[in-house]
Amino acid sequence: QVQLVESGGGLVQAGGSLRLSCAASRSRISYMGWYRQAPGEQRELVARISSSGSTNYADSVKGRFTISRDNAKNTVYLQMNSLKPEDTAVYYCNGFSDYVNYWGQGTQVTVSS
């Protein structure tokens, strides 16, 4: 029912910034968020945002990352500032609507020291 396409990943030096984008194929997705998975580790929630704009962040990124959404464009963003090598991972866009989870293909973020 929903397709999610991420973009914006890449290589950045520690202390730098990146902005990830995720475009959804339709509107009115209840919750959208970002997860990440580093090699050999479990996938973890980074941030999520509701349709009304309520947000939730992992403690490890609080104060550095900002999630936002543009409902008119069916797009969610993750602004990542003060990046650390520990942020290196594949980042996945997630959407939740009508009791169903949807996932993007993932985009690689690599932070060099």
Side-chain angles (χ1 to χ4, degrees):
Q1 293 181 6
V2 178
Q3 290 181 308
L4 304 173
V5 180
E6 303 103 329
S7 62
L11 175 65
V12 65
Q13 292 184 342
S17 298
L18 284 174
R19 188 173 77 154
L20 306 182
S21 299
C22 174
S25 61
R26 71 166 177 86
S27 63
R28 288 177 286 185
I29 300 173
S30 297
Y31 295 89
M32 299 190 73
W34 292 92
Y35 290 70
R36 67 186 182 187
Q37 186 169 25
E41 300 183 7
Q42 295 184 344
R43 188 174 300 186
E44 64 175 352
L45 174 68
V46 178
R48 63 162 64 108
I49 185 168
S50 70
S51 298
S52 63
S54 179
T55 59
N56 188 37
Y57 296 92
D59 289 340
S60 60
V61 307
K62 194 171 299 181
R64 299 188 297 120
F65 291 9
T66 302
I67 190 170
S68 62
R69 64 190 292 172
D70 185 338
N71 291 327
K73 296 182 178 180
N74 302 330
T75 301
V76 63
Y77 305 94
L78 185 67
Q79 179 66 46
M80 304 185 293
N81 298 326
S82 301
L83 282 162
K84 305 174 181 180
E86 307 92 89
D87 297 318
T88 295
V90 177
Y91 284 70
Y92 297 91
C93 181
N94 168 258
F96 180 76
S97 184
D98 300 318
Y99 305 100
V100 178
N101 271 300
Y102 301 91
W103 296 94
Q105 81 285 356
T107 185
Q108 177 70 47
V109 172
T110 302
V111 183
S112 63
S113 59

